[in-house]
């Protein structure tokens, strides 16, 4: 059992590695933008459900209803990938039964890392890594030391999808691209008005490290309406 768990950790930590090129937006011949397909991972394991409100050029607006996430305490680091690894290890222990109920919990997707960027290139940013709690556990998620349940009511997200293995460089680049794609839209105004601003964002990662093709990652800018 210990060997199996060690193998799982090794496999899942690779979720959080190196660089990528590419994006996954679908355009038809008239340049109208189609809704993004469901990530393939979400056909195999549970993911939070959502409604698509609007799909624009290189962004999608979603509504998430009443989701529950188990989140780490804020992690200070210069590296997105290092902070996500640190947080994921805590969450992996949690789903393996290191919680007050000693209950094993099914793996879900995505792994979500909230990012509050620092003021300078050599300063530490703040990261919170979260695990989507399966519906069967949401009414009473097992408590655990160092983790906190975040209960979302209705929440909206502007998202940008990209592929490959995520690197520190990707997250800032893709977040800037999402903000640029929203320029002039009502959504950017709503994001600013919600109090989150556009400097804080989240990175959602969906895939096993052994999936080299059709990898799915997303930048989220969340807001309320």
């Amino acid at each position: 059992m210990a060997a199996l768990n060690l193998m799982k950790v090794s496999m899942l930590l690779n979720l959080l590695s190196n660089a990528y090129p590419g994006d996954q937006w679908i355009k038809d011949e008239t340049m109208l933008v189609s809704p993004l397909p469901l990530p393939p991972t979400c056909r195999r394991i549970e993911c939070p459900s959502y409604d698509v409100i609007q799909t624009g050029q290189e962004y999608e607006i979603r509504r998430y209803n009443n989701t529950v996430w188990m989140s780490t305490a804020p992690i200070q680091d210069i590296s997105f990938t290092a902070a996500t690894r640190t947080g994921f290890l805590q969450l992996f222990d949690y789903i393996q039964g290191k919680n007050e109920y000693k209950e094993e919990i099914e793996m879900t997707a995505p792994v979500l890392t909230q990012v509050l960027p620092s003021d300078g290139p050599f300063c530490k940013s703040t990261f919170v890594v979260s695990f989507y709690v399966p519906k069967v556990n949401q009414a009473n998620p097992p408590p655990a030391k160092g983790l906190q349940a975040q209960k979302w009511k209705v929440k909206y997200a502007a998202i940008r999808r990209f592929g490959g293995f995520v690197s520190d460089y990707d997250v800032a680049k893709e977040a800037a691209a999402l903000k640029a794609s929203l320029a002039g839209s009502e959504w950017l105004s709503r994001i600013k008005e919600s109090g989150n601003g556009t400097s804080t964002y989240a990175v959602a990662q969906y895939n096993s490290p052994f999936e080299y093709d059709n990898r799915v990652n997303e930048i989220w800018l969340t807001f309320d309406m």
Side-chain angles (χ1 to χ4, degrees):
M1 181 64 71
L4 178 60
N5 286 342
L6 185 60
M7 182 178 71
K8 287 182 181 178
V9 172
S10 177
M11 290 167 57
L12 291 167
L13 280 177
N14 286 322
L15 181 73
L16 318 162
S17 289
N18 303 321
Y20 121 90
D23 79 45
Q24 300 178 9
W25 295 93
I26 302 172
K27 300 182 179 66
D28 68 17
E29 293 179 355
T30 60
M31 296 302 289
L32 295 175
V33 182
S34 303
L36 291 166
L38 190 71
T41 304
C42 297
R43 298 187 180 96
R44 302 191 298 271
I45 61 177
E46 189 178 341
C47 297
S49 59
Y50 59 85
D51 300 308
V52 177
I53 304 302
Q54 185 184 75
T55 303
Q57 293 292 337
E58 301 192 351
Y59 71 85
E60 186 166 87
I61 305 299
R62 297 176 184 166
R63 180 178 59 232
Y64 287 88
N65 296 313
N66 302 317
T67 55
V68 179
W69 303 78
M70 190 58 68
S71 302
T72 66
I75 298 166
Q76 306 294 319
D77 209 304
I78 350 182
S79 167
F80 164 85
T81 55
T84 304
R85 283 171 182 262
T86 298
F88 183 80
L89 280 173
Q90 296 175 44
L91 294 167
F92 183 80
D93 285 344
Y94 174 77
I95 67 173
Q96 289 296 300
K98 193 174 180 180
N99 54 66
E100 289 187 14
Y101 300 163
K102 302 190 185 313
E103 180 180 349
E104 292 190 6
I105 300 169
E106 290 294 326
M107 186 63 193
T108 62
V111 172
L112 188 69
T113 304
Q114 296 165 298
V115 184
L116 177 59
S118 66
D119 293 328
F122 302 110
C123 301
K124 291 181 178 180
S125 297
T126 301
F127 305 89
V128 175
V129 186
S130 300
F131 162 81
Y132 171 64
V133 177
K135 288 180 181 176
V136 69
N137 302 105
Q138 288 189 10
N140 186 23
K145 185 178 179 180
L147 300 178
Q148 181 177 3
Q150 289 190 41
K151 297 185 178 182
W152 291 8
K153 294 183 179 179
V154 175
K155 190 169 286 290
Y156 292 80
I159 76 100
R160 174 181 173 84
R161 182 171 289 182
F162 62 104
F165 290 90
V166 181
S167 73
D168 288 349
Y169 171 73
D170 291 329
V171 294
K173 180 187 73 172
E174 296 295 340
L178 173 57
K179 182 180 176 182
S181 72
L182 293 167
S185 73
E186 65 172 303
W187 306 114
L188 189 61
S189 298
R190 290 186 182 275
I191 290 165
K192 291 177 178 178
E193 289 166 4
S194 72
N196 293 331
T198 55
S199 60
T200 301
Y201 57 91
V203 184
Q205 300 183 69
Y206 287 87
N207 292 86
S208 155
F210 293 106
E211 295 177 83
Y212 289 97
D213 296 323
N214 302 315
R215 294 187 63 82
V216 177
N217 313 293
E218 293 171 346
I219 300 290
W220 293 8
L221 287 173
T222 59
F223 60 99
D224 302 314
M225 287 181 62

